[in-house]
Amino acid sequence: VFFTFSLGTRVHYFGRTILHGGAKYRATGRGFVVRHEKFAENYRLYSRSHFVKGLELMVLLICYRLYGSAADDGISYALLSFSMWFLVLSWLFAPFLLNPSGFEWQKIVEDWEDWSKWISCRGGIGVPSVKSWESWWEEEQEHLRHTGFIGRLFEIILSIRFFIYQYGIVYHLNMTTSSRQGIRLSIVVYGLSWLVIGAVLIILKIVSMGRMKFSADFQLMFRLLKLLLFIGCIVTIAMLFYFLNLTVGDIFQSILAFMPTGWALLQISQACRTLVKGIGMWGSVKALARGYEYMMGVLLFAPIAILAWFPFVSEFQTRLLFNQAFSRGLQIQRILAGSKKQA
């Protein structure tokens, strides 16, 4: 697991250096680590190098199961995709599996509070990345500020793969496959999907403008604005169900299509930062990016929190990471600490 995870680090920084330059020495810890690292710290270190790529591969594996023709049954799919699932799970959860006390419930609660505070904190001049998500997000784009035109162009070209993927998902929707004019209708629905994405960006712009104008002095107006936007989304979905024979499966497939597409728009917007700022959409891009970061954090944190409910998981991790004498001493130390708190 550790070797697979370390390969992800090499792949990420080799690829970034080839595209944008800026090679430098990356210091790595070589000591015997017994300190618990917080969830926010692991997220800052490995979000772009491992978590994003792991989630992208996971979505592709899900689509391969839904639409692939090589694996007709579950056993064939498991045999064909076992190594890729191992790669995905290693890239997503290795930092938490190898993190001491990573499944203790009290640590989990503290990590969630720390991460929620970090991602909701606004950045600014002098605010470090360990205190604010906005400062960290700006630092993660540092390589794009010093790259050339070719580097930005390659970032845009690589992001186009998400748009091709989006059309492939739309082509398999129930309302397009059930029609005789499948290809023509899929192109129409693909165009409508871009209207939906544009509508989402406009909604984000309205919400960000409403937060600046109404959130401080007119909280009721801001809440009414969000309520109207929510009702509008519900009515739109209901009309799609009624007029276009949309199904629940189509909703799930649409989520699979739109989520990577939104991420592609974020990557392109970051590559074209000056242009996006010029048209006044940078605030919407930042709001969309924060939403994606929050969803990724929840997807990563939820399995860890569920496993932390079971005490034997933490004991198993301790025995896995440390030798028997050390783990026994650590267990005794926890018992003594608990008795002191009760006293």
mmCIF file with all atom_site columns, all heavy atoms in Angstrom, residues 12-28:
data_model
loop_
_atom_site.group_PDB
_atom_site.id
_atom_site.type_symbol
_atom_site.label_atom_id
_atom_site.label_alt_id
_atom_site.label_comp_id
_atom_site.label_asym_id
_atom_site.label_entity_id
_atom_site.label_seq_id
_atom_site.pdbx_PDB_ins_code
_atom_site.Cartn_x
_atom_site.Cartn_y
_atom_site.Cartn_z
_atom_site.occupancy
_atom_site.B_iso_or_equiv
_atom_site.pdbx_formal_charge
_atom_site.auth_seq_id
_atom_site.auth_comp_id
_atom_site.auth_asym_id
_atom_site.auth_atom_id
_atom_site.pdbx_PDB_model_num
ATOM 1   N N   . HIS A 1 12 ? 2.688  12.416 -9.937  1.00 0.00 ? 12 HIS A N   1
ATOM 2   C CA  . HIS A 1 12 ? 2.105  13.763 -9.914  1.00 0.00 ? 12 HIS A CA  1
ATOM 3   C C   . HIS A 1 12 ? 3.160  14.834 -10.149 1.00 0.00 ? 12 HIS A C   1
ATOM 4   O O   . HIS A 1 12 ? 2.985  15.706 -11.013 1.00 0.00 ? 12 HIS A O   1
ATOM 5   C CB  . HIS A 1 12 ? 1.414  13.988 -8.571  1.00 0.00 ? 12 HIS A CB  1
ATOM 6   C CG  . HIS A 1 12 ? 0.913  15.388 -8.382  1.00 0.00 ? 12 HIS A CG  1
ATOM 7   N ND1 . HIS A 1 12 ? -0.186 15.883 -9.052  1.00 0.00 ? 12 HIS A ND1 1
ATOM 8   C CD2 . HIS A 1 12 ? 1.378  16.415 -7.614  1.00 0.00 ? 12 HIS A CD2 1
ATOM 9   C CE1 . HIS A 1 12 ? -0.399 17.132 -8.700  1.00 0.00 ? 12 HIS A CE1 1
ATOM 10  N NE2 . HIS A 1 12 ? 0.537  17.489 -7.834  1.00 0.00 ? 12 HIS A NE2 1
ATOM 11  N N   . TYR A 1 13 ? 4.268  14.761 -9.420  1.00 0.00 ? 13 TYR A N   1
ATOM 12  C CA  . TYR A 1 13 ? 5.262  15.832 -9.527  1.00 0.00 ? 13 TYR A CA  1
ATOM 13  C C   . TYR A 1 13 ? 6.103  15.716 -10.787 1.00 0.00 ? 13 TYR A C   1
ATOM 14  O O   . TYR A 1 13 ? 6.547  16.730 -11.340 1.00 0.00 ? 13 TYR A O   1
ATOM 15  C CB  . TYR A 1 13 ? 6.142  15.855 -8.278  1.00 0.00 ? 13 TYR A CB  1
ATOM 16  C CG  . TYR A 1 13 ? 5.408  16.429 -7.092  1.00 0.00 ? 13 TYR A CG  1
ATOM 17  C CD1 . TYR A 1 13 ? 4.966  15.611 -6.059  1.00 0.00 ? 13 TYR A CD1 1
ATOM 18  C CD2 . TYR A 1 13 ? 5.132  17.792 -7.017  1.00 0.00 ? 13 TYR A CD2 1
ATOM 19  C CE1 . TYR A 1 13 ? 4.272  16.142 -4.977  1.00 0.00 ? 13 TYR A CE1 1
ATOM 20  C CE2 . TYR A 1 13 ? 4.440  18.328 -5.951  1.00 0.00 ? 13 TYR A CE2 1
ATOM 21  C CZ  . TYR A 1 13 ? 4.014  17.497 -4.930  1.00 0.00 ? 13 TYR A CZ  1
ATOM 22  O OH  . TYR A 1 13 ? 3.327  18.021 -3.880  1.00 0.00 ? 13 TYR A OH  1
ATOM 23  N N   . PHE A 1 14 ? 6.320  14.502 -11.277 1.00 0.00 ? 14 PHE A N   1
ATOM 24  C CA  . PHE A 1 14 ? 6.975  14.371 -12.585 1.00 0.00 ? 14 PHE A CA  1
ATOM 25  C C   . PHE A 1 14 ? 6.106  14.995 -13.674 1.00 0.00 ? 14 PHE A C   1
ATOM 26  O O   . PHE A 1 14 ? 6.595  15.733 -14.539 1.00 0.00 ? 14 PHE A O   1
ATOM 27  C CB  . PHE A 1 14 ? 7.240  12.901 -12.906 1.00 0.00 ? 14 PHE A CB  1
ATOM 28  C CG  . PHE A 1 14 ? 8.505  12.372 -12.304 1.00 0.00 ? 14 PHE A CG  1
ATOM 29  C CD1 . PHE A 1 14 ? 8.551  11.101 -11.762 1.00 0.00 ? 14 PHE A CD1 1
ATOM 30  C CD2 . PHE A 1 14 ? 9.657  13.133 -12.286 1.00 0.00 ? 14 PHE A CD2 1
ATOM 31  C CE1 . PHE A 1 14 ? 9.709  10.608 -11.191 1.00 0.00 ? 14 PHE A CE1 1
ATOM 32  C CE2 . PHE A 1 14 ? 10.827 12.651 -11.718 1.00 0.00 ? 14 PHE A CE2 1
ATOM 33  C CZ  . PHE A 1 14 ? 10.847 11.385 -11.170 1.00 0.00 ? 14 PHE A CZ  1
ATOM 34  N N   . GLY A 1 15 ? 4.804  14.691 -13.642 1.00 0.00 ? 15 GLY A N   1
ATOM 35  C CA  . GLY A 1 15 ? 3.904  15.237 -14.657 1.00 0.00 ? 15 GLY A CA  1
ATOM 36  C C   . GLY A 1 15 ? 3.809  16.745 -14.589 1.00 0.00 ? 15 GLY A C   1
ATOM 37  O O   . GLY A 1 15 ? 3.825  17.433 -15.617 1.00 0.00 ? 15 GLY A O   1
ATOM 38  N N   . ARG A 1 16 ? 3.704  17.293 -13.373 1.00 0.00 ? 16 ARG A N   1
ATOM 39  C CA  . ARG A 1 16 ? 3.615  18.752 -13.238 1.00 0.00 ? 16 ARG A CA  1
ATOM 40  C C   . ARG A 1 16 ? 4.897  19.427 -13.701 1.00 0.00 ? 16 ARG A C   1
ATOM 41  O O   . ARG A 1 16 ? 4.858  20.490 -14.343 1.00 0.00 ? 16 ARG A O   1
ATOM 42  C CB  . ARG A 1 16 ? 3.328  19.116 -11.778 1.00 0.00 ? 16 ARG A CB  1
ATOM 43  C CG  . ARG A 1 16 ? 3.319  20.612 -11.515 1.00 0.00 ? 16 ARG A CG  1
ATOM 44  C CD  . ARG A 1 16 ? 2.921  20.948 -10.094 1.00 0.00 ? 16 ARG A CD  1
ATOM 45  N NE  . ARG A 1 16 ? 1.500  20.693 -9.865  1.00 0.00 ? 16 ARG A NE  1
ATOM 46  C CZ  . ARG A 1 16 ? 0.867  21.030 -8.745  1.00 0.00 ? 16 ARG A CZ  1
ATOM 47  N NH1 . ARG A 1 16 ? 1.525  21.611 -7.753  1.00 0.00 ? 16 ARG A NH1 1
ATOM 48  N NH2 . ARG A 1 16 ? -0.417 20.783 -8.604  1.00 0.00 ? 16 ARG A NH2 1
ATOM 49  N N   . THR A 1 17 ? 6.048  18.825 -13.405 1.00 0.00 ? 17 THR A N   1
ATOM 50  C CA  . THR A 1 17 ? 7.317  19.425 -13.819 1.00 0.00 ? 17 THR A CA  1
ATOM 51  C C   . THR A 1 17 ? 7.478  19.389 -15.331 1.00 0.00 ? 17 THR A C   1
ATOM 52  O O   . THR A 1 17 ? 7.979  20.338 -15.939 1.00 0.00 ? 17 THR A O   1
ATOM 53  C CB  . THR A 1 17 ? 8.486  18.694 -13.138 1.00 0.00 ? 17 THR A CB  1
ATOM 54  O OG1 . THR A 1 17 ? 8.300  18.730 -11.726 1.00 0.00 ? 17 THR A OG1 1
ATOM 55  C CG2 . THR A 1 17 ? 9.800  19.352 -13.488 1.00 0.00 ? 17 THR A CG2 1
ATOM 56  N N   . ILE A 1 18 ? 7.044  18.301 -15.967 1.00 0.00 ? 18 ILE A N   1
ATOM 57  C CA  . ILE A 1 18 ? 7.141  18.207 -17.427 1.00 0.00 ? 18 ILE A CA  1
ATOM 58  C C   . ILE A 1 18 ? 6.286  19.273 -18.090 1.00 0.00 ? 18 ILE A C   1
ATOM 59  O O   . ILE A 1 18 ? 6.682  19.902 -19.080 1.00 0.00 ? 18 ILE A O   1
ATOM 60  C CB  . ILE A 1 18 ? 6.730  16.799 -17.896 1.00 0.00 ? 18 ILE A CB  1
ATOM 61  C CG1 . ILE A 1 18 ? 7.790  15.776 -17.482 1.00 0.00 ? 18 ILE A CG1 1
ATOM 62  C CG2 . ILE A 1 18 ? 6.533  16.757 -19.406 1.00 0.00 ? 18 ILE A CG2 1
ATOM 63  C CD1 . ILE A 1 18 ? 7.390  14.348 -17.729 1.00 0.00 ? 18 ILE A CD1 1
ATOM 64  N N   . LEU A 1 19 ? 5.091  19.521 -17.544 1.00 0.00 ? 19 LEU A N   1
ATOM 65  C CA  . LEU A 1 19 ? 4.170  20.483 -18.153 1.00 0.00 ? 19 LEU A CA  1
ATOM 66  C C   . LEU A 1 19 ? 4.548  21.929 -17.845 1.00 0.00 ? 19 LEU A C   1
ATOM 67  O O   . LEU A 1 19 ? 4.434  22.809 -18.707 1.00 0.00 ? 19 LEU A O   1
ATOM 68  C CB  . LEU A 1 19 ? 2.746  20.223 -17.670 1.00 0.00 ? 19 LEU A CB  1
ATOM 69  C CG  . LEU A 1 19 ? 2.034  18.995 -18.239 1.00 0.00 ? 19 LEU A CG  1
ATOM 70  C CD1 . LEU A 1 19 ? 0.661  18.831 -17.596 1.00 0.00 ? 19 LEU A CD1 1
ATOM 71  C CD2 . LEU A 1 19 ? 1.887  19.100 -19.748 1.00 0.00 ? 19 LEU A CD2 1
ATOM 72  N N   . HIS A 1 20 ? 4.984  22.199 -16.612 1.00 0.00 ? 20 HIS A N   1
ATOM 73  C CA  . HIS A 1 20 ? 5.118  23.586 -16.175 1.00 0.00 ? 20 HIS A CA  1
ATOM 74  C C   . HIS A 1 20 ? 6.510  23.939 -15.658 1.00 0.00 ? 20 HIS A C   1
ATOM 75  O O   . HIS A 1 20 ? 6.755  25.112 -15.358 1.00 0.00 ? 20 HIS A O   1
ATOM 76  C CB  . HIS A 1 20 ? 4.102  23.889 -15.068 1.00 0.00 ? 20 HIS A CB  1
ATOM 77  C CG  . HIS A 1 20 ? 2.695  23.525 -15.422 1.00 0.00 ? 20 HIS A CG  1
ATOM 78  N ND1 . HIS A 1 20 ? 1.963  24.215 -16.370 1.00 0.00 ? 20 HIS A ND1 1
ATOM 79  C CD2 . HIS A 1 20 ? 1.882  22.528 -14.971 1.00 0.00 ? 20 HIS A CD2 1
ATOM 80  C CE1 . HIS A 1 20 ? 0.769  23.664 -16.480 1.00 0.00 ? 20 HIS A CE1 1
ATOM 81  N NE2 . HIS A 1 20 ? 0.691  22.644 -15.653 1.00 0.00 ? 20 HIS A NE2 1
ATOM 82  N N   . GLY A 1 21 ? 7.405  22.964 -15.541 1.00 0.00 ? 21 GLY A N   1
ATOM 83  C CA  . GLY A 1 21 ? 8.715  23.265 -14.992 1.00 0.00 ? 21 GLY A CA  1
ATOM 84  C C   . GLY A 1 21 ? 8.659  23.441 -13.480 1.00 0.00 ? 21 GLY A C   1
ATOM 85  O O   . GLY A 1 21 ? 7.714  23.020 -12.817 1.00 0.00 ? 21 GLY A O   1
ATOM 86  N N   . GLY A 1 22 ? 9.691  24.089 -12.947 1.00 0.00 ? 22 GLY A N   1
ATOM 87  C CA  . GLY A 1 22 ? 9.706  24.369 -11.521 1.00 0.00 ? 22 GLY A CA  1
ATOM 88  C C   . GLY A 1 22 ? 10.146 23.192 -10.678 1.00 0.00 ? 22 GLY A C   1
ATOM 89  O O   . GLY A 1 22 ? 9.661  23.018 -9.549  1.00 0.00 ? 22 GLY A O   1
ATOM 90  N N   . ALA A 1 23 ? 11.064 22.367 -11.180 1.00 0.00 ? 23 ALA A N   1
ATOM 91  C CA  . ALA A 1 23 ? 11.545 21.227 -10.403 1.00 0.00 ? 23 ALA A CA  1
ATOM 92  C C   . ALA A 1 23 ? 12.323 21.715 -9.184  1.00 0.00 ? 23 ALA A C   1
ATOM 93  O O   . ALA A 1 23 ? 13.077 22.679 -9.248  1.00 0.00 ? 23 ALA A O   1
ATOM 94  C CB  . ALA A 1 23 ? 12.435 20.333 -11.264 1.00 0.00 ? 23 ALA A CB  1
ATOM 95  N N   . LYS A 1 24 ? 12.095 21.063 -8.048  1.00 0.00 ? 24 LYS A N   1
ATOM 96  C CA  . LYS A 1 24 ? 12.822 21.399 -6.828  1.00 0.00 ? 24 LYS A CA  1
ATOM 97  C C   . LYS A 1 24 ? 12.823 20.198 -5.898  1.00 0.00 ? 24 LYS A C   1
ATOM 98  O O   . LYS A 1 24 ? 12.083 19.229 -6.091  1.00 0.00 ? 24 LYS A O   1
ATOM 99  C CB  . LYS A 1 24 ? 12.200 22.599 -6.134  1.00 0.00 ? 24 LYS A CB  1
ATOM 100 C CG  . LYS A 1 24 ? 10.762 22.394 -5.666  1.00 0.00 ? 24 LYS A CG  1
ATOM 101 C CD  . LYS A 1 24 ? 10.239 23.657 -4.992  1.00 0.00 ? 24 LYS A CD  1
ATOM 102 C CE  . LYS A 1 24 ? 8.804  23.476 -4.519  1.00 0.00 ? 24 LYS A CE  1
ATOM 103 N NZ  . LYS A 1 24 ? 8.289  24.686 -3.868  1.00 0.00 ? 24 LYS A NZ  1
ATOM 104 N N   . TYR A 1 25 ? 13.670 20.280 -4.898  1.00 0.00 ? 25 TYR A N   1
ATOM 105 C CA  . TYR A 1 25 ? 13.798 19.177 -3.953  1.00 0.00 ? 25 TYR A CA  1
ATOM 106 C C   . TYR A 1 25 ? 12.574 19.131 -3.053  1.00 0.00 ? 25 TYR A C   1
ATOM 107 O O   . TYR A 1 25 ? 12.147 20.155 -2.501  1.00 0.00 ? 25 TYR A O   1
ATOM 108 C CB  . TYR A 1 25 ? 15.051 19.357 -3.115  1.00 0.00 ? 25 TYR A CB  1
ATOM 109 C CG  . TYR A 1 25 ? 15.186 18.319 -2.008  1.00 0.00 ? 25 TYR A CG  1
ATOM 110 C CD1 . TYR A 1 25 ? 15.508 17.002 -2.306  1.00 0.00 ? 25 TYR A CD1 1
ATOM 111 C CD2 . TYR A 1 25 ? 14.966 18.673 -0.687  1.00 0.00 ? 25 TYR A CD2 1
ATOM 112 C CE1 . TYR A 1 25 ? 15.632 16.059 -1.298  1.00 0.00 ? 25 TYR A CE1 1
ATOM 113 C CE2 . TYR A 1 25 ? 15.085 17.739 0.325   1.00 0.00 ? 25 TYR A CE2 1
ATOM 114 C CZ  . TYR A 1 25 ? 15.414 16.431 0.004   1.00 0.00 ? 25 TYR A CZ  1
ATOM 115 O OH  . TYR A 1 25 ? 15.511 15.489 1.000   1.00 0.00 ? 25 TYR A OH  1
ATOM 116 N N   . ARG A 1 26 ? 11.994 17.953 -2.912  1.00 0.00 ? 26 ARG A N   1
ATOM 117 C CA  . ARG A 1 26 ? 10.842 17.745 -2.043  1.00 0.00 ? 26 ARG A CA  1
ATOM 118 C C   . ARG A 1 26 ? 11.311 16.966 -0.823  1.00 0.00 ? 26 ARG A C   1
ATOM 119 O O   . ARG A 1 26 ? 11.650 15.797 -0.914  1.00 0.00 ? 26 ARG A O   1
ATOM 120 C CB  . ARG A 1 26 ? 9.744  16.964 -2.772  1.00 0.00 ? 26 ARG A CB  1
ATOM 121 C CG  . ARG A 1 26 ? 9.185  17.675 -3.990  1.00 0.00 ? 26 ARG A CG  1
ATOM 122 C CD  . ARG A 1 26 ? 8.218  18.750 -3.589  1.00 0.00 ? 26 ARG A CD  1
ATOM 123 N NE  . ARG A 1 26 ? 7.724  19.481 -4.751  1.00 0.00 ? 26 ARG A NE  1
ATOM 124 C CZ  . ARG A 1 26 ? 6.815  20.442 -4.688  1.00 0.00 ? 26 ARG A CZ  1
ATOM 125 N NH1 . ARG A 1 26 ? 6.316  20.778 -3.523  1.00 0.00 ? 26 ARG A NH1 1
ATOM 126 N NH2 . ARG A 1 26 ? 6.418  21.067 -5.769  1.00 0.00 ? 26 ARG A NH2 1
ATOM 127 N N   . ALA A 1 27 ? 11.352 17.619 0.317   1.00 0.00 ? 27 ALA A N   1
ATOM 128 C CA  . ALA A 1 27 ? 11.819 16.963 1.536   1.00 0.00 ? 27 ALA A CA  1
ATOM 129 C C   . ALA A 1 27 ? 10.783 15.953 2.005   1.00 0.00 ? 27 ALA A C   1
ATOM 130 O O   . ALA A 1 27 ? 9.580  16.205 1.975   1.00 0.00 ? 27 ALA A O   1
ATOM 131 C CB  . ALA A 1 27 ? 12.064 18.001 2.615   1.00 0.00 ? 27 ALA A CB  1
ATOM 132 N N   . THR A 1 28 ? 11.253 14.800 2.451   1.00 0.00 ? 28 THR A N   1
ATOM 133 C CA  . THR A 1 28 ? 10.372 13.755 2.974   1.00 0.00 ? 28 THR A CA  1
ATOM 134 C C   . THR A 1 28 ? 10.864 13.339 4.347   1.00 0.00 ? 28 THR A C   1
ATOM 135 O O   . THR A 1 28 ? 12.062 13.300 4.611   1.00 0.00 ? 28 THR A O   1
ATOM 136 C CB  . THR A 1 28 ? 10.372 12.515 2.053   1.00 0.00 ? 28 THR A CB  1
ATOM 137 O OG1 . THR A 1 28 ? 11.718 12.046 1.912   1.00 0.00 ? 28 THR A OG1 1
ATOM 138 C CG2 . THR A 1 28 ? 9.814  12.857 0.685   1.00 0.00 ? 28 THR A CG2 1
#
